[in-house]
Amino acid sequence: MTTPEQAFWALPGPARFVADVVAQVLSSHRGIVGIAMPRRMPPGAMDAVREALLDRGGGRVVRVRGADRMFERSIAHGLAYFAGARDGSVRTVAALAEADAASATTFVVEGVRAADWPRWSAFLRSFAVASADADRSLAPVVAVCRPAGLPESAVARLFDQEEVAWRGRVSPLDMRMHVGTLRGHSGRETLLEKIAAETVVRLAMWDPAIAAAFAELDARRLVDPEAMVRAAAGSGSDDSPCWENGLVDSWDGRPAIHLAGCRDSSGAREIRRRSWAAQAEHVLPFVDEVRCFFADRHAGLLASALPLTVPRKGGDVQVREPTDLEISPMWRILERAIPPAEETFLRAVVAMRNLVAHHQTVSPDVLDRVSQAWERLRIERESVPGWAWPRCGQKLEFVSDRAPSDVLRIDPALPRSASLDALIRRVHSRLGSGEDAVVDGANLTVVERDRIAAIVPPDIEVVPAAAAPADGARRAA
């Protein structure tokens, strides 16, 4: 079973970093490779490098800690010891480059202290010279994660082009994939859940540990900016953000501060901005989806109010088609003509749009209510009606008398709009399973029958209450 850590290193960006390290190791002409990483590094990087080297046929991989006491007297002897040469026969750099024990071996060195770097640098330069005449198919390679806090002169011309840096490796797409996996997304998430996941992405950025911690939280808490500000204030770092300490990296093409560096008032503003951006990512497309849905659902009512003069920047515009209406004028036209539940929903969507457009966030309660209301409408918003249904010769029939025992009726005990929604869901379910749906149309208005008939694709017969059409063609209910 794949762990979250392994899943992170399988993402395109991190996997490319691993692949670049492996490519440098396998193609190295000097036997040395540099790896530049910050102090705050996602765990599992060298595990992923080791597995990739083994998969690519890179020979044996030996991982060592640069601070180990075996390196205090001789780095060459220490590496030979970890490779299996325990007899002390390898004590020089040249001997290590040709030692049978180190043949076809990649040494991955981690944890080198900055104070020890002058010794390691001298060893690496000597090893590169000693490896120049070695058989590169069998010669060992030393891949070193160099310590942070070194001046450029300390590594100048040491690795030449054979250094791989962890910088800007994780993209927003990578982290969206990762967070979606952590939160178990299936592709039919509610608006609230989409915003919650995007909030995790924008707060965690390139750090999978923070993503894993936030992915465990409830969606309502995640979409609350103040809750996220409090969460960030509880832990973090007082260090000045820089790339070497891992508190700044390139994110979506620009430098961004790690959440651990967002503890002061400016950090709180940054968290609120990221929370707003997470909402804007999904609220604005959602508003357009709702707008298109209502333009289609109430095309007749909207068309009767058109043309409509709408003020725009640069001059007034004449709107002549329902699909060209923006959400606010659409709501004003429909507010007294549609069922109360729909009007309440549409008004909330208009308010959400106005908040996000003015750089404000929507409260968790509102997002939750709107998400639930939209899920109830979702069954009626397919752009291609019945696309997933089998075609079994089923039909939708309205009857006014002689109703069969399995007739579907509107429930008088529920509010009218809720009862109609429930009836539509039952009709949808029955037709979608390949069976006929018979509806008691005695207590339904023409508009309500039209709404039910609208969910049926044109190749499935709709029979009105009076009599079945002789030619079997579709007719309006």
PDB file of all heavy atoms in Angstrom, residues 3-25:
ATOM      1  N   THR A   3       2.121   4.824   0.829  1.00  0.00           N
ATOM      2  CA  THR A   3       1.966   5.771   1.928  1.00  0.00           C
ATOM      3  C   THR A   3       1.845   7.183   1.371  1.00  0.00           C
ATOM      4  O   THR A   3       2.238   7.453   0.222  1.00  0.00           O
ATOM      5  CB  THR A   3       3.168   5.697   2.874  1.00  0.00           C
ATOM      6  OG1 THR A   3       4.339   6.154   2.164  1.00  0.00           O
ATOM      7  CG2 THR A   3       3.391   4.270   3.363  1.00  0.00           C
ATOM      8  N   PRO A   4       1.319   8.148   2.172  1.00  0.00           N
ATOM      9  CA  PRO A   4       1.258   9.541   1.702  1.00  0.00           C
ATOM     10  C   PRO A   4       2.627  10.083   1.303  1.00  0.00           C
ATOM     11  O   PRO A   4       2.741  10.858   0.351  1.00  0.00           O
ATOM     12  CB  PRO A   4       0.671  10.282   2.900  1.00  0.00           C
ATOM     13  CG  PRO A   4      -0.152   9.262   3.617  1.00  0.00           C
ATOM     14  CD  PRO A   4       0.597   7.975   3.451  1.00  0.00           C
ATOM     15  N   GLU A   5       3.681   9.668   2.033  1.00  0.00           N
ATOM     16  CA  GLU A   5       5.030  10.132   1.699  1.00  0.00           C
ATOM     17  C   GLU A   5       5.449   9.631   0.330  1.00  0.00           C
ATOM     18  O   GLU A   5       5.985  10.386  -0.494  1.00  0.00           O
ATOM     19  CB  GLU A   5       6.009   9.655   2.765  1.00  0.00           C
ATOM     20  CG  GLU A   5       7.442  10.135   2.543  1.00  0.00           C
ATOM     21  CD  GLU A   5       8.368   9.669   3.640  1.00  0.00           C
ATOM     22  OE1 GLU A   5       8.198  10.157   4.786  1.00  0.00           O
ATOM     23  OE2 GLU A   5       9.252   8.824   3.369  1.00  0.00           O
ATOM     24  N   GLN A   6       5.195   8.356   0.059  1.00  0.00           N
ATOM     25  CA  GLN A   6       5.533   7.800  -1.259  1.00  0.00           C
ATOM     26  C   GLN A   6       4.695   8.438  -2.357  1.00  0.00           C
ATOM     27  O   GLN A   6       5.192   8.684  -3.466  1.00  0.00           O
ATOM     28  CB  GLN A   6       5.318   6.289  -1.242  1.00  0.00           C
ATOM     29  CG  GLN A   6       6.292   5.527  -0.357  1.00  0.00           C
ATOM     30  CD  GLN A   6       5.893   4.076  -0.175  1.00  0.00           C
ATOM     31  OE1 GLN A   6       4.709   3.734  -0.191  1.00  0.00           O
ATOM     32  NE2 GLN A   6       6.874   3.199  -0.004  1.00  0.00           N
ATOM     33  N   ALA A   7       3.424   8.702  -2.042  1.00  0.00           N
ATOM     34  CA  ALA A   7       2.551   9.342  -3.026  1.00  0.00           C
ATOM     35  C   ALA A   7       3.055  10.738  -3.386  1.00  0.00           C
ATOM     36  O   ALA A   7       2.974  11.155  -4.544  1.00  0.00           O
ATOM     37  CB  ALA A   7       1.124   9.421  -2.489  1.00  0.00           C
ATOM     38  N   PHE A   8       3.598  11.453  -2.405  1.00  0.00           N
ATOM     39  CA  PHE A   8       4.125  12.794  -2.676  1.00  0.00           C
ATOM     40  C   PHE A   8       5.282  12.734  -3.665  1.00  0.00           C
ATOM     41  O   PHE A   8       5.344  13.521  -4.614  1.00  0.00           O
ATOM     42  CB  PHE A   8       4.575  13.446  -1.369  1.00  0.00           C
ATOM     43  CG  PHE A   8       5.231  14.793  -1.569  1.00  0.00           C
ATOM     44  CD1 PHE A   8       4.467  15.917  -1.795  1.00  0.00           C
ATOM     45  CD2 PHE A   8       6.612  14.918  -1.551  1.00  0.00           C
ATOM     46  CE1 PHE A   8       5.067  17.156  -1.998  1.00  0.00           C
ATOM     47  CE2 PHE A   8       7.220  16.144  -1.748  1.00  0.00           C
ATOM     48  CZ  PHE A   8       6.443  17.273  -1.963  1.00  0.00           C
ATOM     49  N   TRP A   9       6.190  11.794  -3.454  1.00  0.00           N
ATOM     50  CA  TRP A   9       7.360  11.721  -4.345  1.00  0.00           C
ATOM     51  C   TRP A   9       7.041  11.128  -5.708  1.00  0.00           C
ATOM     52  O   TRP A   9       7.878  11.134  -6.605  1.00  0.00           O
ATOM     53  CB  TRP A   9       8.484  10.951  -3.656  1.00  0.00           C
ATOM     54  CG  TRP A   9       9.054  11.757  -2.536  1.00  0.00           C
ATOM     55  CD1 TRP A   9       8.856  11.569  -1.197  1.00  0.00           C
ATOM     56  CD2 TRP A   9       9.879  12.915  -2.656  1.00  0.00           C
ATOM     57  NE1 TRP A   9       9.493  12.545  -0.476  1.00  0.00           N
ATOM     58  CE2 TRP A   9      10.132  13.391  -1.352  1.00  0.00           C
ATOM     59  CE3 TRP A   9      10.421  13.612  -3.726  1.00  0.00           C
ATOM     60  CZ2 TRP A   9      10.908  14.510  -1.095  1.00  0.00           C
ATOM     61  CZ3 TRP A   9      11.198  14.735  -3.480  1.00  0.00           C
ATOM     62  CH2 TRP A   9      11.440  15.168  -2.182  1.00  0.00           C
ATOM     63  N   ALA A  10       5.818  10.629  -5.866  1.00  0.00           N
ATOM     64  CA  ALA A  10       5.370  10.166  -7.183  1.00  0.00           C
ATOM     65  C   ALA A  10       4.701  11.277  -7.972  1.00  0.00           C
ATOM     66  O   ALA A  10       4.393  11.089  -9.155  1.00  0.00           O
ATOM     67  CB  ALA A  10       4.412   8.987  -7.023  1.00  0.00           C
ATOM     68  N   LEU A  11       4.477  12.440  -7.349  1.00  0.00           N
ATOM     69  CA  LEU A  11       3.868  13.564  -8.062  1.00  0.00           C
ATOM     70  C   LEU A  11       4.822  14.073  -9.143  1.00  0.00           C
ATOM     71  O   LEU A  11       6.043  13.924  -9.023  1.00  0.00           O
ATOM     72  CB  LEU A  11       3.527  14.695  -7.085  1.00  0.00           C
ATOM     73  CG  LEU A  11       2.477  14.369  -6.023  1.00  0.00           C
ATOM     74  CD1 LEU A  11       2.419  15.491  -4.978  1.00  0.00           C
ATOM     75  CD2 LEU A  11       1.108  14.177  -6.662  1.00  0.00           C
ATOM     76  N   PRO A  12       4.289  14.696 -10.194  1.00  0.00           N
ATOM     77  CA  PRO A  12       5.164  15.105 -11.315  1.00  0.00           C
ATOM     78  C   PRO A  12       6.353  15.966 -10.907  1.00  0.00           C
ATOM     79  O   PRO A  12       7.481  15.698 -11.333  1.00  0.00           O
ATOM     80  CB  PRO A  12       4.197  15.867 -12.230  1.00  0.00           C
ATOM     81  CG  PRO A  12       2.855  15.256 -11.954  1.00  0.00           C
ATOM     82  CD  PRO A  12       2.859  14.920 -10.501  1.00  0.00           C
ATOM     83  N   GLY A  13       6.132  17.010 -10.088  1.00  0.00           N
ATOM     84  CA  GLY A  13       7.230  17.901  -9.706  1.00  0.00           C
ATOM     85  C   GLY A  13       8.290  17.212  -8.869  1.00  0.00           C
ATOM     86  O   GLY A  13       9.485  17.191  -9.237  1.00  0.00           O
ATOM     87  N   PRO A  14       7.927  16.635  -7.709  1.00  0.00           N
ATOM     88  CA  PRO A  14       8.924  15.907  -6.918  1.00  0.00           C
ATOM     89  C   PRO A  14       9.570  14.758  -7.680  1.00  0.00           C
ATOM     90  O   PRO A  14      10.773  14.504  -7.523  1.00  0.00           O
ATOM     91  CB  PRO A  14       8.100  15.412  -5.726  1.00  0.00           C
ATOM     92  CG  PRO A  14       6.995  16.412  -5.582  1.00  0.00           C
ATOM     93  CD  PRO A  14       6.659  16.802  -6.983  1.00  0.00           C
ATOM     94  N   ALA A  15       8.786  14.049  -8.496  1.00  0.00           N
ATOM     95  CA  ALA A  15       9.356  12.944  -9.272  1.00  0.00           C
ATOM     96  C   ALA A  15      10.395  13.451 -10.266  1.00  0.00           C
ATOM     97  O   ALA A  15      11.402  12.772 -10.524  1.00  0.00           O
ATOM     98  CB  ALA A  15       8.252  12.185 -10.005  1.00  0.00           C
ATOM     99  N   ARG A  16      10.186  14.651 -10.812  1.00  0.00           N
ATOM    100  CA  ARG A  16      11.162  15.231 -11.728  1.00  0.00           C
ATOM    101  C   ARG A  16      12.462  15.562 -10.994  1.00  0.00           C
ATOM    102  O   ARG A  16      13.563  15.359 -11.532  1.00  0.00           O
ATOM    103  CB  ARG A  16      10.580  16.478 -12.384  1.00  0.00           C
ATOM    104  CG  ARG A  16      11.556  17.301 -13.225  1.00  0.00           C
ATOM    105  CD  ARG A  16      12.273  16.474 -14.261  1.00  0.00           C
ATOM    106  NE  ARG A  16      11.343  15.822 -15.166  1.00  0.00           N
ATOM    107  CZ  ARG A  16      11.708  14.934 -16.091  1.00  0.00           C
ATOM    108  NH1 ARG A  16      12.973  14.559 -16.184  1.00  0.00           N
ATOM    109  NH2 ARG A  16      10.808  14.400 -16.868  1.00  0.00           N
ATOM    110  N   PHE A  17      12.367  16.053  -9.767  1.00  0.00           N
ATOM    111  CA  PHE A  17      13.559  16.312  -8.960  1.00  0.00           C
ATOM    112  C   PHE A  17      14.347  15.017  -8.768  1.00  0.00           C
ATOM    113  O   PHE A  17      15.565  14.975  -8.966  1.00  0.00           O
ATOM    114  CB  PHE A  17      13.159  16.905  -7.612  1.00  0.00           C
ATOM    115  CG  PHE A  17      14.274  16.962  -6.602  1.00  0.00           C
ATOM    116  CD1 PHE A  17      15.248  17.942  -6.673  1.00  0.00           C
ATOM    117  CD2 PHE A  17      14.356  16.020  -5.586  1.00  0.00           C
ATOM    118  CE1 PHE A  17      16.287  17.984  -5.746  1.00  0.00           C
ATOM    119  CE2 PHE A  17      15.384  16.051  -4.656  1.00  0.00           C
ATOM    120  CZ  PHE A  17      16.356  17.038  -4.734  1.00  0.00           C
ATOM    121  N   VAL A  18      13.653  13.957  -8.367  1.00  0.00           N
ATOM    122  CA  VAL A  18      14.307  12.659  -8.170  1.00  0.00           C
ATOM    123  C   VAL A  18      14.940  12.184  -9.475  1.00  0.00           C
ATOM    124  O   VAL A  18      16.084  11.707  -9.489  1.00  0.00           O
ATOM    125  CB  VAL A  18      13.294  11.629  -7.640  1.00  0.00           C
ATOM    126  CG1 VAL A  18      13.898  10.230  -7.631  1.00  0.00           C
ATOM    127  CG2 VAL A  18      12.820  12.008  -6.241  1.00  0.00           C
ATOM    128  N   ALA A  19      14.206  12.321 -10.574  1.00  0.00           N
ATOM    129  CA  ALA A  19      14.725  11.882 -11.866  1.00  0.00           C
ATOM    130  C   ALA A  19      15.966  12.682 -12.259  1.00  0.00           C
ATOM    131  O   ALA A  19      16.908  12.124 -12.850  1.00  0.00           O
ATOM    132  CB  ALA A  19      13.644  12.022 -12.938  1.00  0.00           C
ATOM    133  N   ASP A  20      15.998  13.972 -11.940  1.00  0.00           N
ATOM    134  CA  ASP A  20      17.174  14.790 -12.260  1.00  0.00           C
ATOM    135  C   ASP A  20      18.393  14.347 -11.463  1.00  0.00           C
ATOM    136  O   ASP A  20      19.519  14.313 -11.983  1.00  0.00           O
ATOM    137  CB  ASP A  20      16.875  16.265 -11.979  1.00  0.00           C
ATOM    138  CG  ASP A  20      15.915  16.867 -12.997  1.00  0.00           C
ATOM    139  OD1 ASP A  20      15.662  16.219 -14.038  1.00  0.00           O
ATOM    140  OD2 ASP A  20      15.406  17.972 -12.752  1.00  0.00           O
ATOM    141  N   VAL A  21      18.188  14.018 -10.179  1.00  0.00           N
ATOM    142  CA  VAL A  21      19.302  13.522  -9.365  1.00  0.00           C
ATOM    143  C   VAL A  21      19.825  12.213  -9.946  1.00  0.00           C
ATOM    144  O   VAL A  21      21.037  12.020 -10.117  1.00  0.00           O
ATOM    145  CB  VAL A  21      18.861  13.330  -7.896  1.00  0.00           C
ATOM    146  CG1 VAL A  21      19.988  12.646  -7.104  1.00  0.00           C
ATOM    147  CG2 VAL A  21      18.503  14.659  -7.264  1.00  0.00           C
ATOM    148  N   VAL A  22      18.918  11.300 -10.276  1.00  0.00           N
ATOM    149  CA  VAL A  22      19.307  10.002 -10.822  1.00  0.00           C
ATOM    150  C   VAL A  22      20.038  10.179 -12.149  1.00  0.00           C
ATOM    151  O   VAL A  22      21.059   9.514 -12.412  1.00  0.00           O
ATOM    152  CB  VAL A  22      18.073   9.095 -10.983  1.00  0.00           C
ATOM    153  CG1 VAL A  22      18.427   7.826 -11.749  1.00  0.00           C
ATOM    154  CG2 VAL A  22      17.497   8.742  -9.620  1.00  0.00           C
ATOM    155  N   ALA A  23      19.540  11.066 -12.989  1.00  0.00           N
ATOM    156  CA  ALA A  23      20.178  11.293 -14.288  1.00  0.00           C
ATOM    157  C   ALA A  23      21.605  11.813 -14.115  1.00  0.00           C
ATOM    158  O   ALA A  23      22.523  11.405 -14.846  1.00  0.00           O
ATOM    159  CB  ALA A  23      19.343  12.274 -15.113  1.00  0.00           C
ATOM    160  N   GLN A  24      21.807  12.708 -13.147  1.00  0.00           N
ATOM    161  CA  GLN A  24      23.152  13.224 -12.895  1.00  0.00           C
ATOM    162  C   GLN A  24      24.071  12.124 -12.392  1.00  0.00           C
ATOM    163  O   GLN A  24      25.240  12.035 -12.774  1.00  0.00           O
ATOM    164  CB  GLN A  24      23.097  14.371 -11.878  1.00  0.00           C
ATOM    165  CG  GLN A  24      22.498  15.649 -12.400  1.00  0.00           C
ATOM    166  CD  GLN A  24      23.414  16.359 -13.398  1.00  0.00           C
ATOM    167  OE1 GLN A  24      24.444  15.833 -13.819  1.00  0.00           O
ATOM    168  NE2 GLN A  24      23.024  17.557 -13.787  1.00  0.00           N
ATOM    169  N   VAL A  25      23.548  11.257 -11.513  1.00  0.00           N
ATOM    170  CA  VAL A  25      24.368  10.151 -11.003  1.00  0.00           C
ATOM    171  C   VAL A  25      24.771   9.207 -12.126  1.00  0.00           C
ATOM    172  O   VAL A  25      25.942   8.812 -12.247  1.00  0.00           O
ATOM    173  CB  VAL A  25      23.593   9.386  -9.903  1.00  0.00           C
ATOM    174  CG1 VAL A  25      24.304   8.074  -9.558  1.00  0.00           C
ATOM    175  CG2 VAL A  25      23.440  10.249  -8.656  1.00  0.00           C
TER     176      VAL A  25
END
